[in-house]
Amino acid sequence: TRNRIETFGRNLGAELSGWESFWSPCRDKNSQGFQGVATWAKEGLTICANSNPLDSEVLDSLGRCIRTDHKSFILFNIYAPCRGTTIRRE
């Protein structure tokens, strides 16, 4: 929910006057501390935020994406890990 993802940043001390932050931290206990995304926007410009936009328990629990709706556009903030210097298809 919007309240939960806003509160997460405040708990970390990540507050800036005039700005809102929306967080999608990693909730998977085997990967915590390695991934997560946050989006910052001027106060009042964000209509809603969703830290579970992929509709996948596995992917959403890793904190790899957050969706914010800003009325005139929707932003997907995505963390995509690099798995090396070569392109591999698995």
Side-chain angles (χ1 to χ4, degrees):
T1 67
R2 180 181 170 123
N3 187 42
R4 182 183 59 79
I5 56 182
E6 287 177 345
T7 304
F8 185 82
R10 274 190 236 112
N11 291 342
L12 291 175
E15 289 188 86
L16 291 174
S17 179
W19 292 82
E20 295 177 293
S21 63
F22 305 94
W23 299 73
S24 180
C26 179
R27 296 180 308 274
D28 180 271
K29 59 182 162 189
N30 296 320
S31 300
Q32 284 181 337
F34 292 102
Q35 56 250 14
V37 292
T39 298
W40 295 80
K42 285 279 197 181
E43 267 182 6
L45 296 181
T46 306
I47 296 169
C48 66
N50 183 349
S51 62
N52 299 305
L54 303 175
D55 201 25
S56 165
E57 179 74 31
V58 173
L59 292 175
D60 287 332
S61 72
L62 293 174
R64 293 201 174 167
C65 185
I66 189 166
R67 180 184 59 84
T68 50
D69 186 338
H70 303 272
K71 191 173 182 178
S72 59
F73 67 95
I74 293 174
L75 176 71
F76 285 86
N77 185 349
I78 300 169
Y79 163 75
C82 177
R83 299 194 115 190
T85 57
T86 60
I87 298 175
R88 295 180 296 183
R89 304 245 185 234
E90 295 178 16

